[in-house]
Amino acid sequence: MRIKYTISVVFFVALVIIEKENNIISRVSDKLSIKQTPDAADAPVHTGCLSRLPLKPNVSSPSLSKMNSAFTLMKRRLENYSERRVAARRGRKHILLLATTRTGSSFVGEFFNRQVDNMFYLFEPLWHVEKMLTLEGGGTNATVAAGAYRDVLRQLFLCDFSLLEGFVDPPPVDHVTAALFRRESSISLCEESVCSPFVKGVFEPYHCRSRRCGPLNLTLASQSCLRKEHRVIKSVRVRQLETLRPLAEDPRLDVRFIQLVRDPRAVLASRMVAFEAKYRNWKEWAASGDVPLDDDEVRKLKGNCDNIRMSAEIGLRRPAWLHGRYMLVRYEDIARFPMRKAAEMYRFAGIPFTPKAKAWIQRNTQASKKSSSVYSTQKNSSEQVEKWRFSLPYKLAQVVQSVCGPTLKLFGYKIVSSEEMLTDKTVSLIEDKVFNLV
Ligand SMILES: *[C@@H]1O[C@H](CO)[C@@H](O)[C@H](O)[C@H]1NC(C)=O
Ligand SMILES: *[C@@H]1O[C@H](CO)[C@@H](O)[C@H](O)[C@H]1NC(C)=O
Ligand SMILES: *[C@@H]1O[C@H](CO)[C@@H](O)[C@H](O)[C@H]1NC(C)=O
Ligand SMILES: *[C@@H]1O[C@H](CO)[C@@H](O)[C@H](O)[C@H]1NC(C)=O
Ligand SMILES: *[C@@H]1O[C@H](CO)[C@@H](O)[C@H](O)[C@H]1NC(C)=O
């Protein structure tokens, strides 16, 4: 009887703590090893919490039956809780690489894509969603798009392609499609097990390069996804991190967000080269020296900067729902220290960094006569990263600074106050900054 009392009291108090301090439990249990049984894993949590409480139970006050029912309730909740925690604790991670175009997200995606043995990687699946939701005048309704992105991402993290299928055009037939955007950029979607027999005469714009496959059978893709230990999705389409909060709170997922950012002045310079036609206005403004600040293009630039900054601000504020789930990475740091940053990302993700992925990074960032990528360390990479300073007219740098000032400041990009400063090689515009206390 005595023992039962003691146990009941202990569990009763633990129940109260669990209700109140869910956070501590999830934090502590995250640290516990996968191998532990739920009971063993939960035990130290109780001890730890109890020792901090002025615990003087008046054993004679509540009746035995009350204690028993509390005990039963407690047990049920603990079991339910453990079940959910165990699902997450099995070690499966869901990584979302959040970026905007020209921030090196494809390259960073490769860090994970190349670790193909235990990683299911998808490259821009939301492309289809954005395309389908694009309004007549261009652009999407941000609210509608955000909801669709969130729901599709959630399903994809669970290896379910059905919602995405609804956005693929032409619609898949029997879950088979020849049109999945950039299929070939995802090693997982071109593996032997996902490779259907080649079909002659079917045009596949995104056909596998590594082997000859027929149109993608999404059932096979889903099966492959389920077999892989971790799931990684890269997207340049999510605008506000906050819209993904339900993913972070979904007990079936263990989501980690990695937000990639880059100096918006460099992004503009890069986009003016990559998307020449779209950025013709900017070229003309640069030539005439007159930028209409109320132009749609400038407003869009400001909107992008604000979205990126607000997402980062939320992440860096570390609200409870994002605790341990957010990492900010600057393009410039990846370009200068690729291996170090990759190791940090893997550590943050809670995934072992395998020699295979390391070897790929080594090969693709080392001096190579053919490589002219900004990630090549053949030339001085610090210089490479700041090369945009010689291609972006000062006038445009000023415009970016005037509409993206707070964004530049948050990420540690120095403002230039003259054309001389912009092109002064001896002054780096990248401040050393540590964002993540990993
Ligand atoms: C314990 O509870 C009983 C009955 O409610 C009460 O009479 C007694 O004073 C309490 N003892 C202490 C130490 O609080
Ligand atoms: C377990 O917890 C979840 C989330 O709080 C709840 O939706 C579900 O109904 C619970 N299940 C049981 C069996 O209590
Ligand atoms: C976006 O769509 C929602 C829901 O359909 C609608 O209420 C809202 O007015 C739309 N927003 C804009 C800017 O069109
Ligand atoms: C796709 O793969 C599944 C699983 O192997 C198979 O049952 C199905 O018949 C395939 N679909 C087509 C259209 O071949
Ligand atoms: C690379 O360039 C930066 C800036 O010009 C300079 O500070 C640094 O010493 C250079 N590093 C090497 C290895 O040349």
Coordinates of all heavy atoms in Angstrom, one line a residue, residues 40-112:
A40 N 12.4 4.1 -19.7 CA 13.7 4.5 -19.2 C 14.0 5.9 -19.6 O 14.6 6.7 -18.9 CB 14.7 3.5 -19.8
A41 N 13.5 6.2 -20.8 CA 13.8 7.6 -21.4 C 13.1 8.6 -20.6 O 13.6 9.7 -20.4 CB 13.4 7.6 -22.8
D42 N 11.9 8.3 -20.1 CA 11.1 9.3 -19.3 C 11.6 9.5 -17.9 O 11.4 10.5 -17.3 CB 9.7 9.0 -19.4 CG 9.1 9.3 -20.8 OD1 9.6 10.2 -21.4 OD2 8.1 8.7 -21.2
A43 N 12.2 8.4 -17.4 CA 12.5 8.4 -15.9 C 13.3 9.6 -15.5 O 12.9 10.3 -14.6 CB 13.2 7.1 -15.6
P44 N 14.4 9.9 -16.2 CA 15.3 11.0 -15.7 C 14.6 12.3 -15.7 O 14.9 13.2 -14.9 CB 16.5 11.0 -16.6 CG 16.3 9.8 -17.5 CD 15.0 9.2 -17.3
V45 N 13.6 12.4 -16.6 CA 12.8 13.7 -16.7 C 12.1 13.9 -15.4 O 12.2 15.0 -14.8 CB 11.8 13.6 -17.8 CG1 11.0 14.8 -17.9 CG2 12.5 13.3 -19.1
H46 N 11.5 12.9 -14.9 CA 10.7 13.1 -13.6 C 11.6 13.4 -12.5 O 11.4 14.3 -11.7 CB 9.9 11.8 -13.3 CG 9.0 11.4 -14.4 ND1 8.5 10.2 -14.6 CD2 8.4 12.2 -15.4 CE1 7.7 10.2 -15.6 NE2 7.7 11.3 -16.1
T47 N 12.7 12.7 -12.4 CA 13.6 12.9 -11.3 C 14.1 14.3 -11.4 O 14.1 15.1 -10.4 CB 14.8 12.0 -11.4 OG1 14.4 10.7 -11.9 CG2 15.5 11.8 -10.1
G48 N 14.5 14.7 -12.6 CA 15.0 16.1 -12.8 C 14.0 17.1 -12.3 O 14.4 18.1 -11.7
C49 N 12.8 16.9 -12.7 CA 11.8 18.0 -12.4 C 11.4 18.0 -11.0 O 11.3 19.0 -10.3 CB 10.5 17.8 -13.3 SG 10.9 18.0 -15.0
L50 N 11.3 16.8 -10.4 CA 10.9 16.7 -9.0 C 11.9 17.3 -8.1 O 11.5 17.9 -7.1 CB 10.7 15.2 -8.7 CG 9.4 14.5 -9.2 CD1 9.4 13.0 -8.9 CD2 8.2 15.2 -8.7
S51 N 13.1 17.1 -8.4 CA 14.1 17.6 -7.5 C 14.1 19.1 -7.4 O 14.6 19.7 -6.5 CB 15.5 17.1 -7.9 OG 15.8 17.7 -9.2
R52 N 13.4 19.7 -8.4 CA 13.4 21.2 -8.3 C 12.1 21.7 -7.6 O 11.9 22.9 -7.5 CB 13.4 21.8 -9.8 CG 14.7 21.4 -10.5 CD 14.8 22.1 -11.8 NE 13.8 21.8 -12.7 CZ 12.9 22.7 -13.1 NH1 12.9 23.9 -12.7 NH2 12.0 22.4 -14.0
L53 N 11.3 20.8 -7.2 CA 10.0 21.2 -6.6 C 10.0 21.0 -5.0 O 10.6 20.1 -4.5 CB 8.9 20.3 -7.1 CG 8.3 20.7 -8.5 CD1 7.1 19.7 -8.8 CD2 7.9 22.1 -8.5
P54 N 9.4 22.0 -4.3 CA 9.2 21.8 -2.9 C 8.1 20.8 -2.6 O 7.0 21.1 -2.4 CB 8.8 23.2 -2.4 CG 8.2 23.8 -3.6 CD 8.7 23.2 -4.8
L55 N 8.5 19.5 -2.7 CA 7.5 18.5 -2.7 C 7.3 18.0 -1.3 O 8.1 17.3 -0.7 CB 8.0 17.4 -3.6 CG 7.1 16.2 -3.8 CD1 5.7 16.6 -4.4 CD2 7.7 15.1 -4.6
K56 N 6.1 18.3 -0.8 CA 5.7 17.8 0.6 C 4.3 17.3 0.5 O 3.4 17.9 0.9 CB 5.8 18.8 1.6 CG 7.3 19.0 2.1 CD 7.3 19.8 3.4 CE 8.7 20.3 3.7 NZ 8.7 21.8 3.9
P57 N 4.1 16.2 -0.1 CA 2.7 15.7 -0.3 C 2.1 15.3 1.1 O 2.7 14.7 1.9 CB 2.9 14.4 -1.1 CG 4.3 14.0 -0.9 CD 5.1 15.2 -0.6
N58 N 0.8 15.8 1.2 CA 0.1 15.4 2.4 C -0.7 14.2 2.0 O -1.8 14.2 1.5 CB -0.9 16.5 2.8 CG -1.6 16.2 4.1 OD1 -1.7 15.0 4.5 ND2 -2.2 17.2 4.7
V59 N -0.1 13.1 2.3 CA -0.6 11.8 1.8 C -2.0 11.5 2.3 O -2.8 10.8 1.6 CB 0.4 10.7 2.1 CG1 -0.2 9.3 1.7 CG2 1.7 10.9 1.4
S60 N -2.3 12.0 3.5 CA -3.6 11.5 4.0 C -4.7 12.3 3.4 O -5.9 12.0 3.6 CB -3.6 11.7 5.5 OG -3.3 13.0 5.9
S61 N -4.5 13.5 2.7 CA -5.6 14.3 2.3 C -6.4 13.7 1.1 O -7.6 13.4 1.3 CB -5.2 15.7 2.0 OG -4.1 15.7 1.1
P62 N -5.8 13.4 -0.1 CA -6.7 12.9 -1.1 C -7.0 11.4 -0.9 O -6.2 10.7 -0.3 CB -5.9 13.1 -2.4 CG -4.6 13.6 -2.0 CD -4.5 13.5 -0.6
S63 N -8.2 11.1 -1.2 CA -8.6 9.7 -1.0 C -7.8 8.8 -1.9 O -7.3 9.2 -3.0 CB -10.1 9.5 -1.2 OG -10.3 9.6 -2.6
L64 N -7.7 7.5 -1.5 CA -7.0 6.5 -2.3 C -7.6 6.4 -3.7 O -6.9 6.3 -4.7 CB -7.1 5.2 -1.6 CG -6.3 4.0 -2.2 CD1 -4.9 4.4 -2.5 CD2 -6.4 2.8 -1.4
S65 N -9.0 6.4 -3.7 CA -9.6 6.2 -5.1 C -9.3 7.4 -6.0 O -9.1 7.2 -7.2 CB -11.1 6.1 -4.9 OG -11.7 7.3 -4.5
K66 N -9.2 8.6 -5.4 CA -8.8 9.8 -6.2 C -7.4 9.6 -6.8 O -7.2 9.9 -8.0 CB -8.9 11.0 -5.4 CG -10.2 11.8 -5.6 CD -10.0 13.2 -5.0 CE -11.3 13.8 -4.5 NZ -11.2 14.7 -3.4
M67 N -6.6 9.1 -5.9 CA -5.2 8.9 -6.3 C -5.1 7.9 -7.4 O -4.4 8.0 -8.4 CB -4.3 8.4 -5.1 CG -4.1 9.5 -4.1 SD -3.2 10.9 -4.8 CE -1.6 10.3 -4.5
N68 N -5.9 6.9 -7.3 CA -5.9 5.8 -8.3 C -6.4 6.3 -9.6 O -5.8 6.0 -10.6 CB -6.8 4.6 -7.8 CG -6.0 3.6 -7.0 OD1 -4.7 3.6 -7.1 ND2 -6.6 2.8 -6.2
S69 N -7.4 7.1 -9.6 CA -7.9 7.6 -10.9 C -6.9 8.5 -11.5 O -6.7 8.5 -12.7 CB -9.3 8.2 -10.8 OG -9.2 9.4 -10.0
A70 N -6.3 9.3 -10.7 CA -5.2 10.2 -11.2 C -4.1 9.4 -11.8 O -3.6 9.8 -12.9 CB -4.7 11.1 -10.1
F71 N -3.8 8.4 -11.1 CA -2.7 7.5 -11.5 C -3.0 6.9 -12.9 O -2.2 6.9 -13.8 CB -2.5 6.4 -10.5 CG -1.5 5.4 -10.9 CD1 -0.1 5.7 -10.9 CD2 -1.8 4.1 -11.3 CE1 0.9 4.8 -11.2 CE2 -0.8 3.2 -11.6 CZ 0.5 3.6 -11.6
T72 N -4.3 6.5 -13.1 CA -4.7 5.8 -14.3 C -4.6 6.9 -15.5 O -4.1 6.6 -16.5 CB -6.1 5.3 -14.2 OG1 -6.2 4.5 -13.0 CG2 -6.5 4.4 -15.4
L73 N -5.2 8.1 -15.2 CA -5.2 9.1 -16.2 C -3.7 9.4 -16.6 O -3.4 9.6 -17.7 CB -5.8 10.4 -15.6 CG -5.8 11.6 -16.5 CD1 -6.7 11.4 -17.7 CD2 -6.3 12.8 -15.7
M74 N -2.9 9.6 -15.5 CA -1.5 9.9 -15.7 C -0.9 8.8 -16.7 O -0.1 9.2 -17.6 CB -0.8 9.8 -14.4 CG 0.6 9.7 -14.4 SD 1.3 11.3 -14.9 CE 2.7 10.7 -15.7
K75 N -1.2 7.6 -16.3 CA -0.5 6.5 -17.1 C -1.0 6.6 -18.6 O -0.1 6.4 -19.5 CB -1.0 5.1 -16.5 CG 0.2 4.2 -16.3 CD -0.2 2.9 -15.6 CE -0.6 1.9 -16.6 NZ -1.1 0.6 -16.0
R76 N -2.3 6.9 -18.8 CA -2.8 6.9 -20.1 C -2.1 8.0 -20.9 O -1.7 7.9 -22.0 CB -4.3 7.1 -20.1 CG -4.9 6.3 -21.2 CD -6.4 6.3 -21.2 NE -7.0 7.5 -20.8 CZ -8.0 7.6 -19.9 NH1 -8.4 6.6 -19.3 NH2 -8.5 8.8 -19.6
R77 N -2.0 9.2 -20.2 CA -1.4 10.3 -20.9 C 0.1 10.1 -21.2 O 0.5 10.5 -22.3 CB -1.5 11.6 -20.0 CG -3.0 12.0 -19.9 CD -3.1 13.5 -19.9 NE -4.5 13.8 -19.6 CZ -4.9 15.0 -19.4 NH1 -4.1 16.0 -19.5 NH2 -6.2 15.2 -19.1
L78 N 0.7 9.5 -20.2 CA 2.1 9.2 -20.4 C 2.3 8.3 -21.6 O 3.2 8.5 -22.4 CB 2.7 8.6 -19.2 CG 3.8 9.4 -18.4 CD1 4.4 8.5 -17.4 CD2 4.8 10.0 -19.4
E79 N 1.5 7.3 -21.7 CA 1.6 6.3 -22.8 C 1.4 7.0 -24.1 O 2.1 6.8 -25.1 CB 0.6 5.2 -22.6 CG 1.1 4.1 -21.7 CD 0.0 3.2 -21.2 OE1 -1.1 3.2 -21.7 OE2 0.4 2.4 -20.3
N80 N 0.3 7.8 -24.2 CA 0.0 8.5 -25.4 C 1.2 9.4 -25.8 O 1.6 9.5 -26.9 CB -1.3 9.4 -25.2 CG -1.7 10.0 -26.5 OD1 -1.3 9.7 -27.5 ND2 -2.6 11.0 -26.4
Y81 N 1.6 10.2 -24.7 CA 2.7 11.1 -24.9 C 4.0 10.3 -25.4 O 4.6 10.7 -26.4 CB 3.0 11.8 -23.6 CG 4.0 12.9 -23.8 CD1 3.7 14.1 -24.5 CD2 5.3 12.8 -23.4 CE1 4.6 15.1 -24.7 CE2 6.2 13.8 -23.6 CZ 5.9 15.0 -24.2 OH 6.8 15.9 -24.4
S82 N 4.3 9.2 -24.8 CA 5.4 8.5 -25.2 C 5.3 8.0 -26.6 O 6.3 8.1 -27.4 CB 5.6 7.3 -24.2 OG 5.8 7.7 -22.9
E83 N 4.1 7.5 -26.9 CA 4.0 7.0 -28.3 C 4.3 8.1 -29.3 O 5.0 7.9 -30.3 CB 2.5 6.7 -28.5 CG 2.2 5.2 -28.7 CD 0.7 4.9 -28.6 OE1 0.0 5.5 -29.3 OE2 0.4 4.1 -27.7
R84 N 3.8 9.3 -29.0 CA 4.1 10.4 -30.0 C 5.5 10.8 -30.0 O 6.1 11.0 -31.0 CB 3.2 11.6 -29.7 CG 1.7 11.3 -30.0 CD 0.9 12.5 -29.9 NE 0.7 12.9 -28.5 CZ 0.9 14.1 -28.0 NH1 1.3 15.1 -28.8 NH2 0.8 14.4 -26.7
R85 N 6.1 10.8 -28.8 CA 7.5 11.2 -28.7 C 8.4 10.1 -29.4 O 9.3 10.4 -30.1 CB 8.0 11.3 -27.3 CG 7.4 12.5 -26.5 CD 7.7 13.8 -27.2 NE 9.0 14.0 -27.7 CZ 9.4 15.0 -28.5 NH1 8.6 15.9 -28.9 NH2 10.7 15.1 -28.9
V86 N 8.0 8.9 -29.2 CA 8.8 7.8 -29.7 C 8.8 7.9 -31.2 O 9.9 7.7 -31.9 CB 8.4 6.4 -29.2 CG1 9.0 5.3 -30.1 CG2 8.7 6.3 -27.8
A87 N 7.6 8.2 -31.8 CA 7.6 8.3 -33.3 C 8.6 9.3 -33.7 O 9.3 9.1 -34.7 CB 6.2 8.8 -33.7
A88 N 8.7 10.5 -33.0 CA 9.6 11.5 -33.4 C 11.0 11.1 -33.1 O 12.0 11.4 -33.8 CB 9.3 12.8 -32.8
R89 N 11.1 10.4 -31.9 CA 12.5 10.1 -31.4 C 13.2 9.0 -32.1 O 14.4 8.8 -31.9 CB 12.3 9.8 -29.9 CG 13.4 10.3 -29.1 CD 13.4 9.7 -27.7 NE 12.3 10.2 -26.9 CZ 11.6 9.4 -26.1 NH1 12.0 8.1 -26.0 NH2 10.6 9.8 -25.4
R90 N 12.4 8.2 -32.9 CA 13.1 7.2 -33.6 C 14.2 7.7 -34.5 O 15.0 7.0 -34.9 CB 12.0 6.5 -34.6 CG 12.0 5.0 -34.4 CD 11.0 4.4 -35.4 NE 9.6 4.7 -35.0 CZ 8.7 5.1 -35.9 NH1 9.1 5.3 -37.2 NH2 7.5 5.4 -35.6
G91 N 14.3 9.0 -34.6 CA 15.4 9.6 -35.2 C 15.1 10.2 -36.6 O 16.0 10.7 -37.2
R92 N 13.9 10.0 -37.1 CA 13.6 10.5 -38.4 C 13.5 12.0 -38.4 O 12.8 12.6 -37.6 CB 12.3 9.9 -38.9 CG 11.8 10.5 -40.2 CD 10.8 9.6 -40.9 NE 11.5 8.5 -41.4 CZ 10.9 7.3 -41.4 NH1 9.7 7.0 -40.9 NH2 11.6 6.3 -42.0
K93 N 14.2 12.6 -39.3 CA 14.2 14.1 -39.4 C 13.6 14.6 -40.7 O 13.7 13.9 -41.7 CB 15.7 14.6 -39.3 CG 16.4 14.2 -38.0 CD 15.7 14.9 -36.8 CE 16.5 14.7 -35.5 NZ 16.7 13.3 -35.1
H94 N 13.0 15.7 -40.6 CA 12.3 16.3 -41.7 C 12.9 17.7 -41.9 O 12.6 18.6 -41.1 CB 10.8 16.4 -41.6 CG 10.2 15.1 -41.2 ND1 10.2 14.6 -39.9 CD2 9.6 14.1 -42.0 CE1 9.6 13.4 -39.9 NE2 9.3 13.1 -41.1
I95 N 13.8 17.9 -42.9 CA 14.5 19.1 -43.1 C 13.9 19.9 -44.2 O 13.7 19.4 -45.3 CB 16.0 18.9 -43.5 CG1 16.6 17.7 -42.7 CG2 16.8 20.1 -43.3 CD1 16.8 18.0 -41.2
L96 N 13.6 21.2 -43.9 CA 13.2 22.1 -45.0 C 14.2 23.2 -45.2 O 14.5 23.9 -44.3 CB 11.8 22.7 -44.5 CG 11.1 23.5 -45.6 CD1 10.8 22.6 -46.9 CD2 9.8 24.1 -45.1
L97 N 14.7 23.2 -46.4 CA 15.7 24.3 -46.8 C 14.9 25.4 -47.3 O 14.2 25.3 -48.4 CB 16.6 23.8 -47.8 CG 17.7 22.8 -47.4 CD1 18.5 22.3 -48.7 CD2 18.6 23.4 -46.4
L98 N 14.8 26.5 -46.6 CA 14.0 27.7 -47.0 C 15.0 28.7 -47.6 O 15.9 29.1 -47.0 CB 13.3 28.3 -45.9 CG 12.2 27.5 -45.3 CD1 11.8 28.1 -43.9 CD2 11.0 27.4 -46.2
A99 N 14.7 29.2 -48.8 CA 15.6 30.2 -49.4 C 14.8 31.0 -50.4 O 13.6 30.9 -50.5 CB 16.7 29.5 -50.1
T100 N 15.5 31.9 -51.1 CA 14.9 32.6 -52.2 C 15.9 32.3 -53.4 O 17.0 31.8 -53.1 CB 14.8 34.1 -51.9 OG1 16.1 34.6 -51.4 CG2 13.8 34.4 -50.9
T101 N 15.5 32.7 -54.6 CA 16.4 32.4 -55.7 C 17.7 33.1 -55.6 O 17.8 34.2 -55.1 CB 15.7 32.7 -57.1 OG1 15.3 34.1 -57.0 CG2 14.5 31.8 -57.3
R102 N 18.7 32.5 -56.1 CA 20.1 33.0 -56.2 C 20.7 33.1 -54.8 O 21.5 34.0 -54.5 CB 20.2 34.4 -56.9 CG 19.4 34.5 -58.2 CD 19.7 33.4 -59.2 NE 21.1 33.4 -59.7 CZ 21.6 32.5 -60.5 NH1 20.9 31.5 -60.9 NH2 22.9 32.6 -60.9
T103 N 20.4 32.2 -53.9 CA 21.0 32.2 -52.6 C 21.8 30.9 -52.3 O 22.2 30.6 -51.2 CB 20.0 32.4 -51.4 OG1 19.1 31.3 -51.6 CG2 19.3 33.7 -51.5
G104 N 22.1 30.2 -53.4 CA 22.9 29.0 -53.2 C 22.1 27.8 -52.7 O 22.7 26.8 -52.2
S105 N 20.8 27.8 -52.8 CA 20.0 26.7 -52.2 C 20.1 25.4 -52.9 O 20.1 24.4 -52.3 CB 18.5 27.1 -52.1 OG 18.0 27.3 -53.3
S106 N 20.4 25.4 -54.2 CA 20.6 24.2 -54.9 C 21.8 23.5 -54.5 O 21.9 22.3 -54.3 CB 20.7 24.4 -56.4 OG 19.5 25.1 -56.9
F107 N 22.9 24.3 -54.3 CA 24.1 23.8 -53.8 C 24.0 23.2 -52.4 O 24.4 22.1 -52.1 CB 25.2 24.9 -53.8 CG 26.5 24.5 -53.4 CD1 27.3 23.7 -54.2 CD2 27.1 24.9 -52.2 CE1 28.6 23.3 -53.8 CE2 28.3 24.5 -51.8 CZ 29.1 23.7 -52.6
V108 N 23.3 23.9 -51.5 CA 23.2 23.4 -50.2 C 22.2 22.2 -50.2 O 22.5 21.2 -49.4 CB 22.6 24.5 -49.2 CG1 22.3 24.0 -47.9 CG2 23.6 25.6 -49.1
G109 N 21.3 22.2 -51.1 CA 20.4 21.0 -51.2 C 21.3 19.8 -51.5 O 21.0 18.7 -51.0
E110 N 22.3 19.9 -52.3 CA 23.2 18.8 -52.7 C 23.9 18.2 -51.4 O 24.2 17.0 -51.4 CB 24.2 19.2 -53.7 CG 23.7 19.5 -55.1 CD 22.9 18.4 -55.7 OE1 23.6 17.3 -56.0 OE2 21.7 18.4 -55.8
F111 N 24.1 19.1 -50.5 CA 24.8 18.5 -49.2 C 24.0 17.3 -48.7 O 24.5 16.4 -48.2 CB 24.8 19.6 -48.1 CG 25.7 20.8 -48.3 CD1 26.4 20.9 -49.5 CD2 25.9 21.7 -47.3 CE1 27.3 22.0 -49.7 CE2 26.8 22.8 -47.5 CZ 27.4 22.9 -48.7
F112 N 22.6 17.4 -48.9 CA 21.8 16.4 -48.4 C 21.4 15.4 -49.4 O 21.4 14.2 -49.2 CB 20.5 17.0 -47.8 CG 20.8 17.9 -46.6 CD1 20.9 19.3 -46.7 CD2 20.9 17.3 -45.3 CE1 21.1 20.1 -45.6 CE2 21.2 18.1 -44.2 CZ 21.3 19.5 -44.3

